[in-house]
Amino acid sequence: MHAYRSHTCGELRKSHVGETVKLSGWLHRRRDHGGVMFIDLRDHYGLTQIVFNPGSPGFGTVERLRAESVITLEGKVVARDESLVNPNLATGEPSSRKPPSCRCRCLVSRTTRKRSA
Amino acid sequence: MFGEPDYPEEIRLTHRYLDLRRETLHKNMILRSQVIASLRRRMLEQGFTEYQTPILTASSPEGARDFLVPSRIHPGEFYALPQAPQQFKQLLMVSGFDRYFQIAPCFRDEDARADRSPGEFYQLDIEMSFVTQEDVFNAIEPVMAGVFEEFANWEGKGRKVPDGAFPRIPYAEAMAKYGSDKPDLRNPIELADVSEFFEDDSKTGFGIFAKIIGGGGRVIAIPAPKAAAEKSRKFFDELDKWAKKEMQAPGLGYARLKEADGGGVDSQDPVLKNFEPAHLAALLEKLGLGAGDGIFFSAGKKSDAYKLAGAARTKVGEELNLIEDGVFRLCWIVDFPMYEYDEDNKKVDFSHNPFSMPQGGMEALLAADTEEKQLDLKAFQYDIVCNGVELSSGAIRNHSPELMLKAFELAGYGPDVVEAEFGGMLNAFRYGAPPHGGIAPGVDRIVMLLADAENIRDVTLFPMNQQARDLMMQAPSPVDEKQLKELHIRLAPQMKS
């Protein structure tokens, strides 16, 4: 697989569900939901939501990273629950005419750059 | 349209609007426009976006001499015109943009050459994020191949662009085979290091080369196929003279090969005359030469020997009419050395661009604990060369502050120096920088090749002359005292007319 990415952060659709992908971008936002961590990964092309379950490799690393760090992640594409579809996100839209919903479940494979401030 | 009478350059440039009525110039300028339109279309098709970067910017500490522009609002301070949008395009990647391009004007206060305007030129400036060298090649190769193919038959010239990927030639191989990092692949001659054959002068009876090799030098052979059969002795002597006069070399040895009386091949010229027959046969086998062929020899310190050999390869190829006609042979030169030995200061220094990513990253830099190992380090740096013309230089950039400080440390620059000179870039990288890289093909040179032009003035609408003057607009020129005053500038006394 490519050193940095197999897809851009604006690219994943329902048709990618089940694939293992690699994404790179800036850590746009991180939220903790009772052990499950969500990250919005951003690049020139868009945002993709990343899900870390407790125990996902790299969980601890990413938990400590500051916003706007540049990271590379590898993981499996999973569909979003219909109730969780984010209509504001191209990668999170439900209908088939518009980009379908999906969620990228990721395992951190490496960190290319950390904000060292 | 006008005919094409031969007027002196000065008259032509003074009345460029008349000069441009020549059919050839008119056609060249149309070609230039079409090439630029094609480059732009191809870049957009590859998913690139065009962005503009500033023309009035800051003086940069590296590279060539800047053109300066005095500030009216800030007395005593100056803008500089960009030598290239290098820092801007890298900062665009840090800003989160991707796949940038621009047909960018670049300004360098350098002396003119036939293939370089004094002052300004245009490049197809390109940068991409989250890429390896391979990605840059895959994005740019179709653009370059495409534009050369599109205009190969311009004006019915019927030129060809070979199918398939551009050959990738490591720098070291280019130097060894062609004596140049911008080899003309239309020339079939390949150099060969034949030092091993001359080490032992008991087998050669030729002490001069043995002595040079003993002193750490090399002997490089330049095969000259069929030269002995087709050319007189004068041809060989003229090349020796050329080496002495044009190349300031001690000379160019030569040997003409002919059928030996008892069968086999021999040479009556001093270099090979006293070779043991078996030894001579082995040398000729290595070079793939036989009776009727010629060989030139360039001997001396390794860098000098290759420099002369590279130039002689071109010269011999041209004189023997070996240069393939009607073809654009494009190639990549890859794996440039990160460092070279600076003979003047007796130290290791950057050989090309200090901001290129060293191959192997931090691990490789840490492992390079001797000068020898440092000189072996390679960079992710690459050129595109076409028919012996360097079209483009590019690199994967070093985007890591730690790695950059280490790379400078190996060249003897402390962190204080790096922070003082390049602090802006380093700081930007500390805020989250994507791995990135790019390239910047020269537009003028592409058009020159396609137009078959000898001089860059033939593909530039309003060029300056060799002395960096625009004779038509009369630039540069003195300005009013009032303008100078506004700019807080007083001329040194000897400058006043």
Side-chain angles (χ1 to χ4, degrees), chain B residues 209-218 301:
Chain B
F209 284 177
K211 205 175 155 199
I212 288 171
I213 295 159
R218 313 299 294 175
K301 209 177 73 182

Side-chain angles (χ1 to χ4, degrees), chain B residues 17-162:
Chain B
Y17 42 86
L18 298 181
D19 197 35
L20 284 171
R21 294 181 195 176
R22 288 167 189 268
E23 197 174 357
T24 51
L25 282 182
H26 193 94
K27 281 182 178 160
N28 284 358
M29 300 312 155
I30 301 294
L31 171 67
R32 183 184 178 108
S33 170
Q34 288 171 341
V35 167
I36 289 174
S38 170
L39 289 171
R40 196 169 254 134
R41 173 171 52 79
R42 289 170 193 281
M43 291 306 291
L44 293 169
E45 279 169 7
Q46 293 274 334
F48 286 79
T49 310
E50 186 164 10
Y51 303 89
Q52 268 91 46
T53 53
I55 300 297
L56 290 176
T57 179
S59 176
S60 63
E62 89 280 25
R65 200 179 290 117
D66 287 317
F67 277 104
L68 297 176
V69 179
S71 163
R72 175 179 58 81
I73 298 170
H74 305 285
E77 296 182 46
F78 295 81
Y79 303 95
L81 306 182
Q83 293 184 22
Q86 183 64 35
Q87 294 202 33
F88 286 116
K89 71 173 170 179
Q90 291 194 240
L91 292 171
L92 270 174
M93 298 302 107
V94 178
S95 307
F97 294 92
D98 199 350
R99 291 173 97 88
Y100 144 95
F101 86 99
Q102 175 178 206
I103 309 286
C106 303
F107 306 90
R108 289 177 197 177
D109 192 356
E110 290 175 328
D111 295 331
R113 289 192 318 223
D115 64 346
R116 187 171 75 193
S117 308
E120 60 187 64
F121 58 92
Y122 281 81
Q123 64 189 28
L124 171 60
D125 202 43
I126 296 167
E127 198 75 7
M128 312 159 70
S129 276
F130 301 113
V131 289
T132 61
Q133 176 170 292
E134 200 64 29
D135 298 313
V136 178
F137 288 10
N138 289 337
I140 303 320
E141 208 171 295
V143 174
M144 297 298 284
V147 83
F148 274 92
E149 277 160 16
E150 184 177 342
F151 296 100
N153 197 30
W154 179 71
E155 288 295 304
K157 284 179 185 285
R159 296 159 299 189
K160 297 268 177 299
V161 182

Side-chain angles (χ1 to χ4, degrees), chain B residues 462-477:
Chain B
F462 298 107
M464 295 198 275
N465 70 3
Q466 291 289 108
Q467 287 73 45
R469 280 193 181 280
D470 176 344
L471 298 174
M472 185 184 69
M473 298 300 283
Q474 300 188 354
S477 56

Side-chain angles (χ1 to χ4, degrees), chain B residues 167 169 178 183-188 313 324 329-331 387-388:
Chain B
I169 308 171
Y178 312 112
D184 186 347
L185 298 184
R186 295 173 306 165
N187 183 344
R313 171 180 175 268
E324 194 182 0
R329 292 219 171 263
L330 292 129
C331 65
N387 294 359

